[in-house]
């Protein structure tokens, strides 16, 4: 689906500050891929390069990010470099931003914000039928139809984040990128949203990339896990395998730092040995 | 329910502001040393008419009665508020006796309103439009040129610009009339063109100055909004520039501009007073100016009270419109 080939990404027009350093990665069809790493490890930058969001001075210095979108509904196959992805946004790709107060337009009702940007194929039929489909979709997230007529400030943080997941998923794209979608939420809401994302992925059989610094999240839902450290991928493999048998020192430290039910958590400065 | 409470609260503030202003207007002239009745008597005496003491007393009494200067200060105050609130009566003009002050104001008010309303609207719409576009594309040449023009224009005081315009376009190039003369039968085409023709320069002197201010303030709004997460999100949804501008940036940028408009109306009112005097425009400003020169207390009270009420009303209307535009206030 997406092939990241030896790519170096960074910021700056005059100088160049490397954020992702010679990374190669494949995102397969019908899988949930997790990307873990500490703040500043380059995971968000890598996501932006994959999504094709080259604003604010982000650019690829070397290497390529190639996408191949096979749409079973139309039988069309689109192949493009990520710098050419913009026309595919909210059609073949969608994205779930890191939840915060200000991701939704404060002056637009939720229904309008779901509809705004939808590809033509999802908008077919009357606006009443569309509203009904959106309402049914939101019901799957435990959100009532009244949410559609609400403004963002009338919803709680957890509701807003569910709305953001629903907006991205309702597009029914081939690839969904989620950048820390559950970071600001309590564990109960977090778990609900994660399970919902898994269920939608299984139903739509597309690819979901989940960026999070929370290893617990990755353990629960990802099929494959990529560990990033200082702009490089230090380890990748099936999630269960990475957890059972970590190869890199940094990964070992990360896993050791998770709280345990029995015994003591390993206390060591993360990254000191890497 | 919350909306009703908002409206009720706003109305109470409005009434308090008006009453406070009227109170100040009532007491300030009465704290001064001049007594209009004695001034009037002196005027009569200086014209050589002979009156004995009883006649003078009778005249003094009847003048005090006419001007509402009868009884103690509190009696006068009560009568004053009652008269204005209930009957909107400011008594006769002293300099144009016996024409009632209200009639003079009624003739002048449409001029001021027309001038101010049109020039404010033109400046607001134009300024916001230009500022929005130049804030959206801050590095384009046209945006830089527009901002340069706006920065040069907005610190100019109204009266300097008004003088400049009238020197340039009435004296050097005799395009527009120097003073206002309106011709034509009521509602005739001739009257309308004559009004527009005569109002053009006074209106421009307001539009140009205020325009620069709106450009600068909405540009700052737009620049800040461009970095907002919901605008970035809209862009990553693949929405086009026109749609992002019209649905995401414009509504959010315009809200504070409406508040600014409410704050600016008072200032613009002052500006238009000076403009009217300079262009000899038959509005409220010219009337206030005449009242001051002639020492016409009643006319001064009437015109100033009405300006206060007009500005307070305009501000209140804008405040009442605001919740219709901002759901965060509507559904608090």
């Amino acid at each position: 689906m997406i092939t990241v080939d030896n790519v170096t990404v960074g910021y700056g027009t005059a100088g160049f500050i490397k954020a992702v350093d010679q990374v190669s990665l494949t995102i397969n069809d019908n899988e949930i891929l997790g990307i873990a790493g500490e703040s500043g490890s380059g995971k968000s930058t890598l996501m932006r390069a994959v999504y094709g969001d080259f604003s604010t001075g982000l650019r690829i210095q070397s290497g390529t990010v190639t996408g191949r979108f096979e749409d079973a509904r139309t039988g069309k196959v689109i192949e493009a470099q990520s710098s050419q992805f913009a026309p595919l946004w909210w059609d073949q790709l969608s994205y779930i931003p890191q939840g915060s107060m200000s991701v939704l337009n404060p002056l637009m009702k939720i229904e309008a914000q779901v509809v705004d940007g939808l590809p033509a194929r999802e908008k077919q039929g009357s606006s009443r039928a569309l509203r009904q489909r959106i309402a049914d979709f939101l019901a799957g997230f435990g959100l009532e139809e009244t949410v559609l007529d609400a403004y963002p400030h009338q919803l709680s943080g957890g509701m807003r984040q569910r709305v953001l997941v629903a907006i991205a998923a309702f597009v029914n794209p081939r690839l969904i990128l989620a950048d820390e979608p559950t970071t600001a939420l309590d564990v109960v809401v977090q778990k609900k949203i994660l399970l919902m994302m898994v269920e939608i992925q299984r139903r739509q059989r597309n690819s979901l990339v989940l960026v999070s610094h929370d290893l617990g999240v990755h353990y629960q839902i990802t099929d494959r896990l990529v560990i990033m450290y200082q702009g490089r991928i230090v380890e990748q493999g099936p999630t269960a395998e990475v957890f059972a048998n970590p190869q890199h020192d940094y990964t070992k430290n990360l896993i050791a730092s998770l709280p345990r039910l029995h015994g003591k958590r390993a206390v060591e400065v993360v990254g000191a040995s890497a | 329910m919350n909306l009703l409470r908002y409206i009720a609260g706003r109305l109470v503030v409005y009434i308090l502001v008006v009453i406070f202003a009227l109170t100040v207007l009532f007491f300030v002239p009465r704290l001064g040393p001049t007594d209009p009745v004695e001034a009037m008597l002196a005027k009569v005496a200086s014209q050589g008419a002979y009156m004995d003491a009883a006649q003078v007393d009778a005249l003094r009494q009847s003048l005090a009665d006419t001007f509402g200067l009868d009884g103690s200060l509190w009696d006068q105050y009560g009568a004053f508020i009652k008269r204005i609130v209930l009957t909107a009566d400011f008594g006769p003009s002293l300099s144009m006796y016996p024409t009632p002050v209200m009639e003079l104001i009624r003739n002048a008010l449409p001029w001021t309103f027309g001038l101010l309303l049109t020039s404010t609207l033109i400046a607001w719409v134009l300024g916001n439009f230009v500022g929005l576009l130049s804030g959206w594309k801050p590095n384009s040449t046209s945006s830089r040129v527009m901002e340069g023009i706006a920065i040069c224009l907005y610190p100019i005081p109204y009266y300097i610009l008004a003088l400049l315009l009238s020197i340039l376009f009435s004296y050097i190039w005799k395009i527009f009339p120097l003073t206002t003369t309106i011709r034509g039968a009521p509602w005739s085409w001739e009257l309308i063109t004559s009004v527009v023709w005569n109002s053009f320069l006074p209106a421009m002197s307001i539009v140009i100055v205020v325009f620069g201010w709106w450009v600068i303030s909405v540009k700052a709004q737009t620049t800040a909004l461009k970095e907002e997460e919901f605008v970035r999100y809209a862009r990553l949804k693949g929405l086009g520039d026109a749609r992002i501008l019209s649905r995401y940036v414009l509504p959010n940028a315009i809200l504070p501009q409406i508040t600014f408009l409410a704050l600016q109306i008072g200032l613009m009112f002052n500006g238009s007073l000076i403009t009217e005097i300079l262009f000899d425009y038959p509005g409220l400003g010219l009337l206030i100016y005449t009242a001051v020169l002639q020492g016409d207390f009643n006319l001064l009270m009437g015109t100033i009270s009405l300006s206060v009420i007009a500005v307070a009303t305009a501000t209140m209307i804008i405040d009442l419109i605001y919740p219709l535009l901002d759901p965060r206030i509507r559904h608090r």
Side-chain angles (χ1 to χ4, degrees):
Chain A
M1 148 125 277
I2 302 272
T3 314
V4 178
D5 186 20
N6 201 22
V7 85
T8 299
V9 196
Y11 297 88
T13 36
F16 186 76
I17 298 154
K18 242 184 246 177
V20 170
D21 193 6
Q22 295 173 30
V23 160
S24 294
L25 172 72
T26 316
I27 303 169
N28 300 315
D29 279 314
N30 194 16
E31 77 164 352
I32 302 181
L33 176 71
I35 299 181
E38 62 194 22
S39 299
S41 62
K43 46 192 198 314
S44 288
T45 304
L46 180 61
M47 275 307 91
R48 287 183 58 189
V50 169
Y51 194 69
D53 171 21
F54 295 104
S55 57
T56 62
L58 182 78
R59 63 191 167 96
I60 293 181
Q61 195 186 40
S62 63
T64 55
V65 180
T66 316
R68 184 184 156 83
F69 300 92
E70 288 179 48
D71 200 328
R73 291 163 293 211
T74 55
K76 228 167 48 183
V77 178
I78 305 161
E79 244 191 87
Q81 289 295 306
S82 75
S83 54
Q84 312 298 317
F85 278 1
L88 305 175
W89 291 346
W90 248 249
D91 180 12
Q92 301 296 321
L93 301 95
S94 69
Y95 127 100
I96 304 168
Q98 191 165 349
S100 88
M101 215 27 222
S102 53
V103 174
L104 293 167
N105 183 351
L107 303 181
M108 261 169 102
K109 287 182 177 173
I110 299 298
E111 182 182 2
Q113 310 214 33
V114 179
V115 174
D116 215 11
L118 275 184
R121 63 156 192 275
E122 302 298 333
K123 268 202 279 204
Q124 276 158 13
S126 69
S127 60
R128 269 188 62 192
L130 177 61
R131 184 188 161 91
Q132 194 51 51
R133 269 189 289 138
I134 296 171
D136 292 343
F137 197 75
L138 285 182
F141 287 81
L143 295 170
E144 289 172 28
E145 193 180 337
T146 50
V147 167
L148 288 178
D149 296 316
Y151 287 95
H153 76 279
Q154 295 171 295
L155 306 179
S156 71
M159 287 164 102
R160 273 200 297 271
Q161 192 58 41
R162 276 181 275 174
V163 167
L164 289 177
V165 175
I167 290 177
F170 193 75
V171 175
N172 198 358
R174 297 311 304 150
L175 173 64
I176 301 179
L177 302 182
D179 192 358
E180 307 269 8
T182 57
T183 301
L185 304 169
D186 67 73
V187 222
V188 179
V189 179
Q190 191 175 356
K191 172 125 192 183
K192 256 192 221 159
I193 293 179
L194 290 174
L195 291 178
M196 192 58 59
M197 287 167 70
V198 175
E199 197 205 304
I200 290 169
Q201 190 276 328
R202 299 291 179 240
R203 199 164 65 215
Q204 298 181 341
R205 304 183 65 76
N206 50 14
S207 313
L208 172 64
V209 178
L210 184 74
V211 174
S212 176
H213 59 251
D214 186 342
L215 278 181
V217 167
H218 290 295
Y219 187 76
Q220 285 178 59
I221 73 165
T222 60
D223 302 321
R224 217 150 54 81
L225 184 59
V226 169
I227 308 279
M228 286 190 77
Y229 182 66
Q230 294 187 336
R232 289 168 179 272
I233 291 180
V234 293
E235 184 154 1
Q236 57 176 312
T239 306
E241 229 166 81
V242 172
F243 272 90
N245 191 15
Q247 298 296 312
H248 195 269
D249 283 346
Y250 178 67
T251 319
K252 285 178 191 163
N253 270 328
L254 273 183
I255 293 169
S257 69
L258 287 170
R260 286 156 200 283
L261 271 180
H262 305 290
K264 276 180 96 176
R265 165 180 358 181
V267 182
E268 203 177 321
V269 180
V270 170
S273 57
Chain B
M1 206 55 227
N2 281 331
L3 192 59
L4 282 181
R5 199 184 300 152
Y6 173 84
I7 293 172
R10 200 57 198 76
L11 280 173
V12 168
V13 170
Y14 170 71
I15 291 166
L16 286 179
V17 165
V18 169
I19 292 197
F20 179 75
L22 291 179
T23 306
V24 171
L25 278 176
F26 173 83
F27 281 105
V28 165
R30 278 165 179 79
L31 296 175
T34 37
D35 182 340
V37 174
E38 294 308 325
M40 200 79 168
L41 288 175
K43 203 169 154 191
V44 172
S46 71
Q47 283 165 353
Y50 174 76
M51 285 183 287
D52 59 34
Q55 276 177 311
V56 171
D57 271 348
L59 186 56
R60 177 177 289 135
Q61 182 57 42
S62 87
L63 281 174
D65 203 31
T66 320
F67 298 164
L69 297 172
D70 217 9
S72 76
L73 209 55
W74 290 111
D75 291 342
Q76 289 180 31
Y77 176 66
F80 171 75
I81 295 285
K82 209 162 87 187
R83 217 173 57 219
I84 290 175
V85 173
L86 295 183
T87 59
D89 176 17
F90 292 94
S93 159
L94 305 188
S95 57
M96 283 168 261
Y97 194 82
T99 321
V101 166
M102 268 322 273
E103 195 183 312
L104 293 172
I105 291 176
R106 232 192 327 266
N107 291 334
L109 209 55
W111 291 99
T112 298
F113 259 135
L115 180 67
L116 205 61
L117 207 68
T118 346
S119 49
T120 303
L121 276 181
I122 293 174
W124 196 77
V125 171
L126 220 63
N128 279 315
F129 181 73
V130 169
L132 190 75
L133 290 184
S134 71
W136 186 247
K137 294 239 180 285
N139 294 323
S140 69
T141 317
S142 58
S143 152
R144 284 185 179 165
V145 170
M146 280 323 293
E147 191 182 13
I149 293 174
I151 286 177
C152 292
L153 289 180
Y154 99 101
I156 305 177
Y158 290 103
Y159 47 90
I160 299 288
L161 194 74
L163 280 174
L164 197 70
L165 286 178
S166 81
I167 289 171
L168 284 181
F169 296 104
S170 310
Y171 185 72
I172 298 183
W173 300 296
K174 296 181 171 47
I175 305 171
F176 292 100
L178 200 55
T179 57
T180 311
T181 29
I182 307 293
R183 279 191 201 87
W187 302 113
S188 67
W189 179 246
E190 194 195 352
L191 179 76
I192 294 169
T193 49
S194 160
V195 167
V196 171
W197 194 242
N198 280 284
S199 309
F200 187 80
L201 281 188
M204 281 319 272
S205 77
I206 300 172
V207 167
I208 290 174
V209 172
V210 183
F211 167 79
W213 199 86
W214 290 124
V215 170
I216 289 167
S217 72
V218 85
K219 185 176 176 181
Q221 293 289 340
T222 310
T223 316
L225 276 168
K226 260 174 67 181
E227 307 302 321
E228 276 290 334
E229 282 191 59
F230 63 82
V231 174
R232 184 181 127 85
Y233 183 53
R235 192 171 52 76
L236 293 181
K237 270 179 161 185
L239 298 175
D241 265 17
R243 184 144 187 93
I244 295 177
L245 260 179
S246 64
R247 298 281 315 256
Y248 292 78
V249 178
L250 176 72
N252 283 288
I254 229 71
L255 278 180
Q257 296 302 96
I258 290 168
T259 313
F260 281 139
L261 185 63
L263 295 172
Q264 279 260 307
I265 279 183
L267 277 178
M268 286 190 282
F269 197 90
N270 295 343
S272 82
L273 299 190
I274 297 163
T275 304
E276 283 178 12
I277 295 164
L278 287 174
F279 286 98
D280 202 22
Y281 196 78
L284 217 51
L286 201 61
L287 209 56
I288 292 180
Y289 181 65
T290 323
V292 171
L293 286 187
Q294 308 276 332
D296 189 337
F297 275 91
N298 279 359
L299 186 57
L300 200 58
M301 287 295 255
T303 45
I304 295 180
S305 307
L306 229 89
S307 335
V308 171
I309 293 172
V311 172
T313 310
T315 315
M316 183 192 63
I317 290 172
I318 290 174
D319 271 1
L320 290 183
I321 291 173
Y322 201 79
L324 297 179
L325 303 171
D326 192 342
R328 285 165 295 188
I329 290 191
R330 195 160 66 233
H331 304 279
R332 200 156 42 189

